[in-house]
Amino acid sequence: MSERLIPNCDPFALAKELAGMNLINGRLVPAASGKTFEVRSPATRQLVAEAAYGEAADVAEAVAAAKAAQRGWAKTPARERGKLIQECGQLLNQHKEELAQLVALETGKAIRTESRVEAGVLADAFLYYGGLGSELKGDSVPFSPDMMTITQPMPIGVIGAIIPWNVPMMLMAYKIAPALVAGNAVVVKSAEEAPFAVLRVCQIMNQVLPHGLFNMLSGYGPECGAPLVAHQDVGKITFTGSVDTGKIIYKTAAERLIPVTLELGGKSPMIVMNDADLDRAVAGAVSGVRFTRQGQSCTAASRIYVQDQLYDSFIAKMKDSVDAMVMGDPLDEATDIGTIVSQQQYDRVQSYIDIGKSEGGTAIECSQLPSQADFKDGLYVRPVIFTGLPEDSRLITEEIFGPVTVVQKFSDYEAAIAAANDSIYGLAATIWTTNLKTAMDATQRLEAGFVQVNQNLVVLPNLSYGGIKQSGMGKEASLEAMLNHYTHKKTIIINMT
Ligand code: ADP
Ligand code: MG
C-alpha cells in the first residue's frame, strides 16, 4: 500500500491543470501550433498529461516578452529585485510538497530520498540569491584626482536557460534566480521528459514577479531549444545537459558570439585508500553513485578505485547496503529508489550493462525490483556494481547516467591518481583516507572542478560548482556565478577637468 504524506495533494490533477501550456508574458498559453506531446509516468507508464510542443514561433513570443519586461526590471533597485526573489523562495517553500510530488510523478524520482529534497533546494536557491542584490557592485580605480573611474556590473538582457530532466527544479533555480537578481529576464526551455514541475514553479513565481520577466517553454531540443539559442535577442545561454548537445549549443553561440555556461557530463572517480574508514566510504559510495536517483546525476561516483586490502570487504558491504534499499512507487514514503526517467534512458543503461558483461565484467545486481502489479512495467533497473572490468572498459570511460558503478582494485596510490585523471571529464572527484598528507596531495592533483575528502555532497549555496575538460565551462550556485555569468562589467570614466 502506498503511504502518502499529504493525501489531498494530487499531482495528476496538478499536471492536468498545466496540460498543453507554456507560460509566456505571465499567461498560460498553448503552443502557437496547438501541438502537444505526451508525458508518461516512468513508474506506471500512465499518461501524466500532454505538454505544449514549443517551437520557433513560441520562442519568438517568449523572447519578445522577456525583452520588454527586462527594461523595467533593470531599473528596479537590485535589493528590491532580490526581495522579490526571496518572496518567490518563501512561496515555493509553502508549495514544496506539491512540487515534490509533481516532479516524482513525471521523473520517477523517489519522493522521500530525492524529490522532496530537490523541492527544498529549489526554494533555498531563491532565498540565497535573493539576498545578494547588494553584491552587484563595482570598483573605482584611483588614476588621478580629476578622473573618476567606475566599473559597474550590468545585466546582459535576455538569458536563455535550457535545462535537463534529472533535477529540473534545482537546476533551473540555480540559473534563473541569479539571472533575475542581476537584472536580466529569462526564457527557460524545459526538458521534454519533465515539463510540469518547472512550469508549476513558474506559475507560483508569477504571483510575485512582473509578467514577461521569466517565460517557460516545453518542447524538444531541435525544435524549441535550438531556436532559443539562435534567437538574435538572447544575450546568453546557460545549459545543463549532455556533452553532445553542449557542443551543438556552443557552436551556435560561437556564430552569434554570445557567452555560454555549460554544465555537462561527468565520470566522477572515488578513490578509497587502505587507511580509510570503511563504513564511511561505503556509505559515501552508495550516496555518491546516487542509487536513490537511479544514478541519474552528472556527479555520480561511477568509477570507484579501492585499494587492495579493503577491496573485498568494500564490495561486500556495498552490496549489503544497496540490497537494503527499497525499489518501488516513487510516491511511496517507503521507497528509496525510483525509476529511470524514460524508455530511451532505460535502453541506454541496459545496453551498458550488456557491454560490461561482454567485456568480461561481473555484474553484481543489488536490491529487488518492485513486486506490485501496478509497477511491473515501470522503468526500474536493479543497481549494479561491476567488478573485474578491463581498464579501457567503456563503462569506465563513458558516462552511463544509470544505477551502474564500476569498482576497480589498485595497490599503488600514484596509479589510482593517474587512473582517476585519465578521463575526458572533470566534474567531481573524492578521496577517502585518514592520512592528511594523502588527502592534501589528492586535492591538489585530482583533475576536477569539485574535489571532496571523506564526503560526497552535492551542490551547496555559495560554493561554486562546475567542471573542467568536457564537463563544461563556468560555475554555478555561487555569488561568483551571478557576477561572472549573468552580468557584464561596464567601465565608466568621468573626466572632471
Ligand atoms: P539527455 O540526453 O539527458 O536528454 P540532452 O542534452 O539531450 O540530455 O537534453 C538536455 C536539454 O537540452 C533538454 O532540455 C533538451 O531538450 C535540450 N536539447 C537537446 N537538443 C538540443 C539542441 N540541439 N539545441 C538546444 N537544446 C537542446
Ligand atoms: Mg534528451
Side-chain angles (χ1 to χ4, degrees):
M1 272 307 285
S2 246
E3 182 209 331
R4 301 267 174 88
L5 207 66
I6 300 186
N8 294 337
C9 175
D10 179 355
F12 270 105
L14 263 178
K16 296 239 152 36
E17 261 178 50
L18 300 167
M21 295 294 167
N22 287 318
L23 192 132
I24 299 178
N25 209 11
R27 289 177 51 229
L28 287 173
V29 289
S33 67
K35 287 201 287 184
T36 58
F37 61 94
E38 281 188 349
V39 177
R40 291 192 169 268
S41 150
T44 60
R45 315 316 255 334
Q46 272 175 290
L47 181 68
V48 172
E50 301 269 339
Y53 193 105
E55 291 176 291
D58 308 290
V59 168
E61 214 186 309
V63 172
K67 191 178 171 185
Q70 195 263 336
R71 291 188 202 106
W73 183 243
K75 290 183 198 145
T76 307
R79 281 198 65 198
E80 287 299 317
R81 296 195 300 250
K83 273 186 201 158
L84 291 172
I85 294 301
Q86 286 196 320
E87 251 182 69
C88 290
Q90 282 148 5
L91 210 52
L92 290 166
N93 236 337
Q94 291 165 21
H95 289 268
K96 193 167 124 176
E97 186 57 29
E98 69 178 48
L99 291 169
Q101 294 198 18
L102 195 48
V103 87
L105 176 67
E106 63 186 351
T107 65
K109 294 196 304 178
I111 186 80
R112 176 178 48 83
T113 56
E114 288 289 339
S115 295
R116 199 172 286 129
V117 180
E118 183 189 354
V121 174
L122 159 83
D124 191 48
F126 279 82
L127 294 175
Y128 163 68
Y129 273 114
L132 296 184
S134 56
E135 295 300 327
L136 290 156
K137 59 196 178 191
D139 302 309
S140 182
V141 182
F143 281 112
S144 75
D146 50 14
M147 194 161 100
M148 173 76 91
T149 71
I150 307 164
T151 64
Q152 192 181 343
M154 306 296 282
I156 291 171
V158 178
I159 307 290
I162 298 178
I163 56 172
W165 44 263
N166 63 334
V167 237
M169 298 190 295
M170 176 183 104
L171 295 173
M172 176 173 80
Y174 276 129
K175 295 183 188 311
I176 72 175
L180 292 174
V181 172
N184 302 284
V186 189
V187 176
V188 185
K189 207 292 276 171
S190 59
E192 44 275 39
E193 295 84 353
F196 295 116
V198 287
L199 182 55
R200 179 70 180 142
V201 171
C202 287
Q203 199 187 24
I204 293 166
M205 289 167 61
N206 208 31
Q207 296 173 29
V208 176
L209 295 174
H211 291 175
L213 193 57
F214 56 91
N215 304 270
M216 169 65 67
L217 304 173
S218 56
Y220 288 86
E223 290 82 7
C224 189
L228 179 61
V229 183
H231 197 290
Q232 60 179 6
D233 290 332
V234 171
K236 190 221 158 94
I237 291 289
T238 171
F239 168 76
T240 299
S242 64
V243 172
D244 289 347
T245 304
K247 287 178 183 171
I248 294 171
I249 287 173
Y250 199 18
K251 280 186 193 140
T252 308
E255 256 335 294
R256 299 194 46 233
L257 283 173
I258 58 165
V260 291
T261 301
L262 301 175
E263 208 268 272
L264 310 177
K267 194 74 201 173
S268 300
M270 164 166 181
I271 298 176
V272 182
M273 302 298 295
N274 280 337
D275 59 25
D277 177 327
L278 180 61
D279 289 338
R280 252 180 96 169
V282 168
V286 173
S287 72
V289 183
R290 230 68 87 216
F291 282 124
T292 48
R293 203 192 297 157
Q294 285 266 350
Q296 300 170 123
S297 160
C298 39
T299 42
S302 51
R303 301 184 282 149
I304 307 181
Y305 300 95
V306 183
Q307 209 167 9
D308 38 21
Q309 286 168 29
L310 288 192
Y311 182 77
D312 290 334
S313 41
F314 182 93
I315 290 167
K317 280 194 178 226
M318 188 170 174
K319 174 164 171 44
D320 284 350
S321 176
V322 185
D323 277 342
M325 297 171 88
V326 176
M327 300 181 79
D329 177 0
L331 287 159
D332 190 333
E333 296 297 324
T335 298
D336 295 304
I337 303 177
T339 68
I340 300 270
V341 74
S342 66
Q343 186 69 50
Q344 189 192 334
Q345 287 298 122
Y346 179 88
D347 294 343
R348 193 183 135 86
V349 173
Q350 292 292 4
S351 81
Y352 272 107
I353 294 173
D354 293 341
I355 291 167
K357 288 176 182 166
S358 73
E359 288 175 337
T362 304
I364 305 171
E365 293 185 75
C366 309
S367 187
Q368 292 301 327
L369 293 176
S371 53
Q372 303 101 313
D374 288 356
F375 300 97
K376 70 175 189 335
D377 295 327
L379 299 173
Y380 293 91
V381 175
R382 288 177 69 195
V384 184
I385 303 168
F386 260 101
T387 61
L389 282 167
E391 262 169 46
D392 62 351
S393 163
R394 286 183 57 193
L395 276 65
I396 295 176
T397 55
E398 298 175 16
E399 185 178 44
I400 301 170
F401 228 68
V404 180
T405 194
V406 175
V407 185
Q408 297 284 91
K409 192 193 306 198
F410 74 92
S411 41
D412 174 37
Y413 168 71
E414 288 298 327
I417 292 282
N421 287 340
D422 183 17
S423 173
I424 59 166
Y425 295 109
L427 191 52
T430 64
I431 173 107
W432 302 73
T433 178
T434 48
N435 183 311
L436 183 61
K437 204 161 160 241
T438 311
M440 291 293 291
D441 185 73
T443 62
Q444 300 307 298
R445 292 170 62 197
L446 284 168
E447 292 167 6
F450 188 23
V451 176
Q452 299 179 74
V453 178
N454 294 332
Q455 68 164 29
N456 212 334
L457 298 178
V458 276
V459 184
L460 296 171
N462 209 15
L463 202 53
S464 281
Y465 176 84
I468 57 170
K469 301 193 207 170
Q470 292 201 19
S471 290
M473 58 187 68
K475 297 289 179 184
E476 298 201 283
S478 59
L479 173 62
E480 174 198 3
M482 178 174 83
L483 297 175
N484 292 354
H485 299 306
Y486 296 108
T487 70
H488 70 89
K489 209 166 225 190
K490 181 182 274 184
T491 299
I492 301 166
I493 302 179
I494 303 159
N495 186 329
M496 298 184 293
T497 59

